[in-house]
Amino acid sequence: MSETIEFQAEARQLLQLMIHSIYSDKDVFLRELISNASDALDKLRMESYQDKDLGVDTSDLHVELRTDAENRTLTIADNGIGMSRDDVVSVIGTIAKSGTAETLAKLREAQAAGSEEANAELIGQFGIGFYSSFMVAERVEMTTRRAGTDGGVHWESAGEGTYEISEVPDAPQGTSITVHLQAEDADDNLHDYADPATVRRIVKRYSDFITWPILLNPGAPTAVEGAEEDDEAESEDSSLEPINSRKALWARPRSEVTDEEYAEFYRHVSHDWQEPLETMRFTGEGTFEYQALLFLPAHAPMDLYMRDAKRGVQLYVKRVFVMEDCEALVPEYLRFVKGVVDAQDLSLNVSREILQQDRQIQLIRRRLVKRVLQTVTAMRTENAEKYATFWTECGRALKEGLLTDQDNQQAILEASSFDSTHDPEKPTTLAEYVERMPEGQESIYYVTGDSRASVENSPHIEAFRAKGYEVLLLTDQVDEVWVGTVSAYGSGEDAKPFASIAQGDVDLGDDAAKPEGFDDLLSWMTTTLADDVAEVRLSTRLTTSPACLVGEVGAIPPQLEQMMRSMGQELPVQKRTLELNPKHPLVENLKAAHETKPDDAGVAETASLLHDMALLAEGGELKEPSVFVGKLAQRLAATLS
């Protein structure tokens, strides 16, 4: 006997909101129905273990997909746990019979504000995924029988005013859902779901790694050979073929997966044509479980430094594809990492298209980051050639984490390497730098610039080289920023602070007294060059160059200042200190000239040239290059007359 039940008014509104607003891609209805079928098979297997008297056959559990182009239907059937009449009323009735004003208000609020939390309580309920079928259906029928019972149930609705429930005595075990499809509409992204090719495509994208076989009828009905033309009999090819690979590499033992299979899977998820540089697979256990299969690339992705580039790993929940680029699981500085994370249980919103920012997500993210950094660090010692390739291709991006991930700053420093004055060919790690530090050196010295050639020949480095102190040569743009954020390498008493050789006064342990008699020159030059410098003083860092410019400790480096100004940021003018090498002939002659003819315009011009030379020596830009060239030409001409 069929019973017709009317939807409540609020439930009708709720259903319409779900059909038209929640899902962004109509294809996902099939993902949801297959996922429900897979869960039913899992539940049957579990219940058969627990109840030996259940009396069910679990030797051929599967999901069947049958297309009927003539009648425009798609049937999704499983031989899983099934449902009783009470189950249908309570589970399907999650939406159909409990559409309260409060639930409707929450969904409306979530849609209006883009909130995810308002939908969290509906996550994982069968009714949510089941009702997604109405996005593509004119009518939906469901026949189901719970394992171990005799009677089945038939449910039917057009998703509007009413639904019908009736008893089916001879229903097979499990659940069969027949979707009577709407007409194909390309403008509305409504595809032909009665076409086996369309079904294959969706299964390949969303459900390829489902544990259970997904079987599909291979084609349309075929005419029986020899039938009369006026009484043509047709028979449908009833054979079903599996269309999902079920090869979730991350779930198979490592010994059963070849390197070629990993390489092929990497190409699939990364769209890269090369093999991966490194493969990482690991499992998280405890309060919640997940499996991860991640890859490091052999070369930087083309969009690595593009602002709008997509990043993240593929996210699966119980082998069901949920998201292509899950940014919540991978920080931006690890955007070169590709792969898959398969969680047993995650908080998704109603449409499974947005992650809830809960403790599970954050914990998985922390573990992924930790594992990647550990892998890079280990690669440096275990396979130096691989590490060198990785660092050349992706090291600059990794160092961005020093700015954004304070919790892992030290781990990122451990995984990093830097050019230094120690070896012109081989970069050094900070641990190696510290091990080579001579007795008495307390800081890790560095200099920043545009290229190795420019910083290696910087005037600032002369005294450090003469004293045998190693200096890091930092030439990436990100280096200009992170050195002002990270205070030291290491922790506790063993921490070594970073110190710029181009900032502040330096003490290199030279007890020699500074030359006397320069006070008048320094005072005069400070006044003469007041528009360009904050102070003029004698230097302890110069050995061969006549002068250099030095910033205050913690000041913005000139290269960073220039970069920020080019981006349109307004910055206050920063004056730096001009340091003079008292042993350089040019400085000595300038001192003598100032003493004999302090008011001579040529002396002031030489002082200005000295400042401009120091600016050029560090790779800076002159305010007025033509003026500098004119002064220099006059000075050169005077020496030849």
Side-chain angles (χ1 to χ4, degrees):
M1 179 179 178
S2 177
E3 179 181 1
T4 300
I5 302 176
E6 184 176 351
F7 287 153
Q8 296 178 2
E10 293 158 357
R12 289 198 299 270
Q13 299 174 46
L14 183 57
L15 181 56
Q16 291 303 310
L17 182 60
M18 292 185 61
I19 293 172
H20 298 295
S21 301
I22 290 179
Y23 291 93
S24 61
D25 183 358
K26 290 181 172 59
D27 289 356
V28 299
F29 89 93
L30 185 54
R31 175 193 73 183
E32 296 296 297
L33 296 182
I34 292 175
S35 180
N36 288 339
S38 177
D39 289 344
L41 297 173
D42 289 335
K43 290 176 182 177
L44 177 64
R45 185 173 63 174
M46 181 61 67
E47 195 158 324
S48 68
Y49 290 154
Q50 297 173 346
D51 184 0
K52 300 300 182 182
D53 298 327
L54 189 61
V56 295
D57 182 10
T58 59
S59 62
D60 184 29
L61 300 181
H62 59 271
V63 180
E64 290 186 12
L65 306 179
R66 292 188 176 274
T67 60
D68 186 337
E70 181 178 351
N71 295 309
R72 292 206 51 74
T73 62
L74 172 63
T75 299
I76 300 92
D78 66 74
N79 55 349
I81 192 66
M83 290 182 284
S84 66
R85 187 183 192 284
D86 290 342
D87 292 334
V88 172
V89 171
S90 62
V91 175
I92 304 300
T94 299
I95 300 300
K97 297 188 67 176
S98 63
T100 63
E102 180 182 0
T103 304
L104 179 58
K106 285 183 177 180
L107 266 179
R108 283 175 170 166
E109 180 182 348
Q111 290 296 321
S115 170
E116 302 166 0
E117 296 178 359
N119 296 331
E121 64 189 56
L122 299 177
I123 294 163
Q125 298 179 7
F126 178 90
I128 299 299
F130 173 78
Y131 272 91
S132 67
S133 59
F134 284 100
M135 291 189 300
V136 302
E138 293 181 343
R139 180 166 53 92
V140 177
E141 293 184 73
M142 179 179 69
T143 301
T144 182
R145 177 171 68 85
R146 182 172 179 81
T149 64
D150 295 328
V153 179
H154 180 81
W155 183 99
E156 183 174 350
S157 176
E160 295 177 350
T162 62
Y163 62 93
E164 296 182 358
I165 292 183
S166 59
E167 295 183 0
V168 182
D170 57 348
Q173 172 192 304
T175 301
S176 175
I177 299 171
T178 299
V179 182
H180 296 263
L181 298 163
Q182 300 175 26
E184 183 179 1
D185 186 351
D187 294 337
D188 193 30
N189 291 320
L190 190 62
H191 303 125
D192 184 4
Y193 300 108
D195 181 2
T198 301
V199 173
R200 287 175 184 273
R201 173 181 60 80
I202 297 173
V203 170
K204 185 67 176 177
R205 174 171 173 77
Y206 290 108
S207 308
D208 195 44
F209 303 123
I210 289 288
T211 306
W212 307 107
I214 301 175
L215 310 177
L216 173 67
N217 61 314
T222 57
V224 177
E225 187 176 351
E228 295 293 335
E229 184 174 346
D230 58 354
D231 187 23
E232 182 174 332
E234 292 187 343
S235 69
E236 184 175 346
D237 183 357
S238 60
S239 64
L240 297 170
E241 60 181 16
I243 58 173
N244 62 321
S245 70
R246 303 169 62 192
K247 291 183 178 180
L249 300 187
W250 58 88
R252 293 163 58 187
R254 177 65 180 90
S255 58
E256 296 181 7
V257 185
T258 66
D259 291 340
E260 289 75 17
E261 287 179 304
Y262 280 134
E264 184 61 32
F265 186 75
Y266 166 73
R267 296 187 188 101
H268 170 69
V269 298
S270 67
H271 310 294
D272 187 7
W273 56 274
Q274 291 190 8
E275 293 187 0
L277 185 68
E278 189 71 16
T279 300
M280 299 167 281
R281 56 172 296 169
F282 49 99
T283 300
E285 299 177 346
T287 55
F288 63 95
E289 298 179 0
Y290 67 91
Q291 294 170 311
L293 176 59
L294 305 180
F295 302 94
L296 295 180
H299 64 95
M302 293 181 62
D303 59 356
L304 185 61
Y305 297 106
M306 294 182 183
R307 177 174 298 180
D308 299 328
K310 292 183 178 181
R311 63 178 174 86
V313 296
Q314 290 187 356
L315 175 64
Y316 285 74
V317 175
K318 295 180 180 178
R319 299 197 187 184
V320 176
F321 178 76
V322 173
M323 194 178 302
E324 180 71 37
D325 301 295
C326 184
E327 296 183 356
L329 290 175
V330 179
E332 187 171 4
Y333 70 92
L334 294 182
R335 56 189 177 274
F336 48 81
V337 174
K338 300 298 180 182
V340 166
V341 172
D342 185 2
Q344 290 302 304
D345 185 24
L346 276 185
S347 295
L348 308 175
N349 76 343
V350 174
S351 65
R352 299 201 196 188
E353 294 174 343
I354 304 173
L355 286 172
Q356 304 291 334
Q357 293 298 322
D358 63 5
R359 178 177 173 273
Q360 292 182 352
I361 298 299
Q362 296 304 316
L363 187 54
I364 293 178
R365 177 188 174 107
R366 286 197 293 269
R367 290 178 178 175
L368 295 185
V369 171
K370 182 178 179 181
R371 182 58 179 268
V372 171
L373 295 178
Q374 287 176 340
T375 299
V376 173
T377 303
M379 194 192 327
R380 192 186 63 220
T381 56
E382 297 171 2
N383 194 321
E385 185 176 349
K386 271 190 178 182
Y387 175 81
T389 299
F390 166 79
W391 192 253
T392 300
E393 297 292 333
C394 302
R396 184 154 56 103
L398 183 68
K399 286 189 290 184
E400 293 175 13
L402 295 170
L403 302 172
T404 59
D405 190 353
Q406 301 228 346
D407 293 338
N408 289 295
Q409 275 185 348
Q410 293 301 317
I412 295 172
L413 289 176
E414 288 288 354
S416 300
S417 60
F418 308 90
D419 287 340
S420 82
T421 55
H422 175 71
D423 191 323
E425 302 294 335
K426 181 183 176 182
T428 184
T429 66
L430 293 179
E432 292 168 342
Y433 179 102
V434 170
E435 188 177 348
R436 289 191 295 265
M437 287 172 58
E439 186 177 353
Q441 181 180 343
E442 299 296 332
S443 300
I444 297 174
Y445 296 118
Y446 70 87
V447 61
T448 61
D450 295 329
S451 66
R452 179 176 182 125
S454 64
V455 295
E456 204 165 23
N457 296 309
S458 168
H460 303 96
I461 214 169
E462 294 172 358
F464 292 86
R465 183 181 285 113
K467 290 284 186 179
Y469 289 157
E470 184 177 353
V471 179
L472 300 181
L473 310 175
L474 309 181
T475 57
D476 292 329
Q477 286 187 340
V478 67
D479 294 330
E480 299 278 5
V481 187
W482 74 258
V483 289
T485 303
V486 183
S487 59
Y489 165 67
S491 59
E493 296 180 355
D494 296 329
K496 300 296 182 182
F498 291 98
S500 171
I501 66 171
Q503 290 184 345
D505 204 354
V506 298
D507 181 9
L508 299 182
D510 191 350
D511 297 330
K514 290 186 178 180
E516 298 181 354
F518 281 85
D519 292 347
D520 289 344
L521 175 65
L522 299 177
S523 178
W524 171 77
M525 288 186 67
T526 298
T527 303
T528 302
L529 302 176
D531 291 341
D532 298 312
V533 302
E535 179 189 3
V536 180
R537 68 188 181 203
L538 296 183
S539 177
T540 59
R541 75 186 84 215
L542 296 173
T543 59
T544 58
S545 297
C548 68
L549 286 164
V550 178
E552 296 299 320
V553 176
I556 300 176
Q559 291 84 2
L560 179 59
E561 180 182 2
Q562 181 181 348
M563 182 172 61
M564 295 173 70
R565 291 187 189 280
S566 67
M567 296 169 61
Q569 297 191 37
E570 295 292 335
L571 297 174
V573 176
Q574 289 191 124
K575 294 182 180 180
R576 292 185 291 159
T577 297
L578 178 65
E579 289 192 352
L580 304 180
N581 179 1
K583 297 180 180 179
H584 194 281
L586 178 56
V587 176
E588 292 178 339
N589 292 338
L590 180 61
K591 172 178 174 292
H594 176 260
E595 290 174 349
T596 58
K597 40 185 178 179
D599 298 326
D600 190 293
V603 177
E605 191 174 82
T606 301
S608 176
L609 285 172
L610 193 59
H611 167 268
D612 292 347
M613 289 165 58
L615 186 60
L616 288 174
E618 67 176 17
E621 294 184 0
L622 300 174
K623 291 181 181 179
E624 300 179 63
S626 60
V627 174
F628 170 78
V629 172
K631 292 178 181 179
L632 182 60
Q634 291 178 3
R635 294 283 93 191
L636 291 174
T639 62
L640 298 175
S641 60

